[in-house]
Amino acid sequence: MEKFHLIAPCYFGTESTTAFEARRLGAENVQVTDGRVAFEGGVDMIAAANLNLRCAERVVILLKTYTATTFDELFDGVYSIPWEEVIPADAQFPVKGSSLSSQLSSVPACQSIVKKAIVKRLMQGHKTSYLPETGVLHKIRFSIRKNLVEIMLDTSGDGLHKRGYRRNSTMAPIKETLAAAIADLGRVRRDTLMMDPFCGSGTMVIEAAQKALNIAPGLRRRFAAEQYSFIPTSVWAEQREKCLSETRLDAAFEGRGSDIDPAAVELATQNAKLAGVGERCHFEVADVRDFTADPAATVLTNPPYGERLGSLDEAAQLAGVLGDRWKKAPGSGLYVITADMEFETHFGTRAARRRKLYNGMIPCQVYMYFDKKDTKKPR
């Protein structure tokens, strides 16, 4: 079976979780660098990675890596790729990319050169002088970093954070991929009782539930590569069947979310049903001032903070309220993601551990509160 070089971009801070997931799927030669995990596998791995990776943003095939400092070198490298084996003569193939610290600094110019090289190669390979671009969409991506060029084919289509269960959301939702990373940091297990006093549209609770029940995050959506001619349709059917066979619907997980906004609570309830975890997730309208953690609960939460919702003063006040409630009734662990760099001061207690993550372009910290003697603390 042909092996593909695959890359899964991910948020800074989630690389170790993504790499662990890739290895668990059977990926070979897994390599971790900032903001991405590279690995190898056959067509079955392309399908498995898209269906199962919880923290990756997408999965792309790395077609070629080479050095280019001139447009001729850029063109020749792209032209050398056997595009006719990957892209049909009628396919749509838009090109997007980026350049950083490279002599070829103009992204539009590079975009044009890459497109031109693909067109020339496809015309020769398919023995045609006309490429209608009316067929299946194949998104081409290029990256130039310090003159090192990477040419990639996207296999995901929409970002992997689009699970297919969130029809609508509250004003500033946390991305599903990031929520899944926090569920991993919080050591969510099949028997976990998980709570979120700022649940919004329910993403944190739903992602924790899907992790506990081992429900593959991509089961309710489609991927661009499902229409690629070089990946048999049977591969996707087999991998979906494998995902279904590995779900643990008998798990004892329970998720409880609350929010002061009734519309958010209603939305969270609907989203949980769409995600297939409606019976395991319960949401209610409640103020954080009335929040009491169950002694056995793992609390994962993303409280409003100034860069996303409300003012900085309001965010500080909410952190203080949460701190007071936690001191009066601590659960087994608390994991808070926030951009408030003074969170520990506002909360009133220093965290046992912190982890830097990014929520989009916003630098955040996950503040972790747990018994330091607890063997379940994050790796």
Side-chain angles (χ1 to χ4, degrees):
M1 181 186 291
E2 181 185 359
K3 282 200 181 156
F4 295 88
H5 297 280
L6 304 172
I7 296 173
C10 55
Y11 279 138
F12 289 105
T14 67
E15 297 93 344
S16 61
T17 300
T18 302
F20 176 81
E21 291 177 339
R23 291 189 184 97
R24 191 179 59 185
L25 292 174
E28 300 176 23
N29 194 23
V30 178
Q31 298 180 345
V32 178
T33 51
D34 286 347
R36 62 193 275 177
V37 175
F39 51 98
E40 295 178 357
V43 289
D44 57 334
M45 182 53 60
I46 294 174
N50 274 292
L51 285 162
N52 290 282
L53 292 181
R54 296 185 189 279
C55 301
E57 290 304 304
R58 63 181 60 253
V59 178
V60 300
I61 301 172
L62 178 62
L63 299 173
K64 192 175 182 68
T65 303
Y66 62 101
T67 300
T69 57
T70 67
F71 287 130
D72 284 344
E73 289 173 343
L74 178 63
F75 180 96
D76 291 344
V78 175
Y79 185 82
S80 69
I81 298 169
W83 291 102
E84 65 277 7
E85 297 175 9
V86 178
I87 300 179
D90 67 340
Q92 302 174 60
F93 51 100
V95 175
K96 286 187 178 180
S98 60
S99 177
L100 183 68
S101 304
S102 300
Q103 286 180 245
L104 299 176
S105 58
S106 170
V107 172
C110 292
Q111 208 168 335
S112 177
I113 293 294
V114 171
K115 180 80 174 186
K116 183 178 178 181
I118 299 172
V119 168
K120 290 280 189 183
R121 177 71 191 229
L122 285 176
M123 284 182 171
Q124 182 195 53
H126 288 301
K127 296 180 171 55
T128 181
S129 60
Y130 177 57
L131 301 173
E133 292 203 54
T134 56
V136 172
L137 181 65
H138 292 63
K139 291 183 179 179
I140 311 300
R141 296 174 179 266
F142 69 86
S143 169
I144 310 176
R145 297 288 182 273
K146 296 182 179 178
N147 300 322
L148 185 68
V149 180
E150 291 180 329
I151 305 296
M152 298 160 283
L153 173 64
D154 179 32
T155 71
S156 300
D158 287 339
L160 294 183
H161 69 279
K162 294 189 176 180
R163 314 289 207 211
Y165 65 73
R166 191 160 72 182
R167 294 291 179 265
N168 295 292
S169 64
T170 48
M171 281 180 62
I174 188 171
K175 267 194 174 180
E176 292 84 343
T177 44
L178 191 55
I182 295 165
D184 184 70
L185 284 174
R187 286 292 191 261
V188 168
R189 296 289 184 262
R190 58 187 304 171
D191 60 348
T192 295
L193 167 59
M194 178 257 172
M195 301 180 75
D196 181 358
F198 300 101
C199 71
S201 55
T203 306
M204 199 81 79
V205 181
I206 292 167
E207 288 296 321
Q210 288 201 329
K211 175 179 170 60
L213 274 61
N214 203 38
I215 296 174
L219 269 177
R220 286 170 172 77
R221 57 160 288 175
R222 295 290 173 177
F223 305 95
E226 289 188 65
Q227 298 187 68
Y228 292 174
S229 58
F230 62 91
I231 304 180
T233 304
S234 59
V235 169
W236 293 95
E238 288 164 7
Q239 290 300 320
R240 279 196 164 87
E241 189 60 38
K242 187 171 185 289
C243 290
L244 288 169
S245 70
E246 292 176 350
T247 56
R248 301 191 299 250
L249 299 182
D250 60 339
F253 174 89
E254 181 184 356
R256 301 177 192 169
S258 57
D259 199 282
I260 199 168
D261 181 3
V265 170
E266 184 178 349
L267 193 54
T269 302
Q270 293 172 3
N271 287 341
K273 289 177 182 176
L274 289 171
V277 292
E279 294 182 1
R280 302 308 185 92
C281 302
H282 310 284
F283 300 96
E284 65 176 1
V285 179
D287 193 311
V288 68
R289 290 168 179 80
D290 300 318
F291 175 68
T292 300
D294 187 289
T298 296
V299 179
L300 312 177
T301 193
N302 175 38
Y305 47 84
E307 292 191 47
R308 294 171 65 248
L309 289 171
S311 68
L312 292 171
D313 288 341
E314 289 171 333
Q317 186 180 21
L318 287 174
V321 171
L322 181 61
D324 289 341
R325 299 306 300 168
W326 186 255
K327 285 169 194 167
K328 290 175 182 174
S332 69
L334 171 64
Y335 300 78
V336 183
I337 180 170
T338 176
D340 178 8
M341 295 304 164
E342 300 297 322
F343 176 81
E344 288 169 308
T345 300
H346 301 146
F347 183 80
T349 310
R350 289 198 65 179
R353 187 173 293 185
R354 295 189 299 176
R355 173 73 69 87
K356 189 173 184 179
L357 293 177
Y358 277 78
N359 188 359
M361 297 301 293
I362 303 173
C364 296
Q365 293 273 357
V366 179
Y367 295 90
M368 311 179 201
Y369 295 86
F370 51 81
D371 184 344
K372 292 185 180 180
K373 291 179 279 188
D374 188 347
T375 57
K376 289 173 64 179
K377 65 185 180 181
R379 61 174 174 269

